[in-house]
């Protein structure tokens, strides 16, 4: 949080096997990747007031976005966005937007992020989700469409609670009493 080095991370290039794309320093009492965010220090320095923070998947996405003038992007360190990440993010901005691939894996990651963010949400804090087109990540999208094109996706982010309702209502007949009752049973544990 003070701009000091607490660990190292890198991305593997030119490897086609199923190993990890990102490697980090081992965890220590100072460096715990489950609660750290790459680029948060730089975002805080670049912006006097942070209205919203954009969470992307990797370091290179943060670097590419910064090169194109998007100063409010941060990344988890090769892990899913966890509850500790969201509590930290909401200390600096009331709106957090997570950016995911538009494929099934991206939607699964969005669901996991939403589950982890729910305890940190309140009437002042909002989580939104951006789903990029298949085959695109923030790095490739901003290079192809520029800052304005990328920000169009961000500005049209789906509110997290709307995503929650859509996901839980899948396959239910919301016009029937039974469907609404089943929906109420599914949503109750999520909102505690």
């Amino acid at each position: 949080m003070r701009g000091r080095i607490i660990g190292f991370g890198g991305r593997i290039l030119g490897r086609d096997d199923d190993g990890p794309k990102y490697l980090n320093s081992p965890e220590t009492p100072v460096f715990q990747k489950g609660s750290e965010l790459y680029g948060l220090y730089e975002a805080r320095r670049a912006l006097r007031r942070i209205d919203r923070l954009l969470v992307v998947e990797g370091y290179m996405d943060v670097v590419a976005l910064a090169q194109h003038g998007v100063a409010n992007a941060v990344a988890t360190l090769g892990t899913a966005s966890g509850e500790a990440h969201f509590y930290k993010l909401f200390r600096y901005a009331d709106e957090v937007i997570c950016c995911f691939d538009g494929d099934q894996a991206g939607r699964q990651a969005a669901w996991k992020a939403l589950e982890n963010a729910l305890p940190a949400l309140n009437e002042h804090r909002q989580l939104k989700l951006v789903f990029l087109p298949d085959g695109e990540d923030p790095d490739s999208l901003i290079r192809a469409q520029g800052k304005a094109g990328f920000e169009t996706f961000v500005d049209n982010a789906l509110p997290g609670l709307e995503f929650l309702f859509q996901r839980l209502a899948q396959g239910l007949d919301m016009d029937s009493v039974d469907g609404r009752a089943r929906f109420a049973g599914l949503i109750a544990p999520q909102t505690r």
Side-chain angles (χ1 to χ4, degrees), residues 15-59:
R15 203 165 92 180
D16 293 333
D17 66 4
D18 291 334
K21 285 197 300 190
Y22 292 92
L23 294 176
N24 295 304
S25 295
E27 293 205 2
T28 67
V30 175
F31 175 67
Q32 296 176 10
K33 69 180 183 176
S35 62
E36 295 300 330
L37 292 158
Y38 177 81
L40 183 57
Y41 172 77
E42 288 79 9
R44 289 177 55 223
R45 289 204 47 202
L47 302 169
R48 173 166 273 162
R49 182 173 186 275
I50 302 174
D51 294 319
R52 63 185 182 185
L53 281 167
L54 180 64
V55 181
V56 296
E57 187 179 346
Y59 315 129

Side-chain angles (χ1 to χ4, degrees), residues 71-135:
N72 63 333
V74 299
T76 57
L77 303 179
T79 63
S81 301
E83 191 173 322
H85 290 124
F86 287 107
Y87 279 110
K88 184 177 277 190
L89 289 161
F90 284 122
R91 285 196 341 230
Y92 299 102
D94 288 335
E95 183 179 60
V96 173
I97 302 172
C98 294
C99 191
F100 299 100
D101 294 344
D103 59 10
Q104 185 61 29
R107 293 205 170 267
Q108 285 299 109
W111 178 252
K112 186 69 175 163
L114 178 60
E115 286 181 321
N116 288 329
L118 282 173
L121 297 178
N122 63 31
E123 65 274 10
H124 304 291
R125 298 173 175 170
Q126 185 174 26
L127 176 72
K128 291 185 176 180
L129 308 168
V130 171
F131 295 100
L132 299 179
D134 280 341

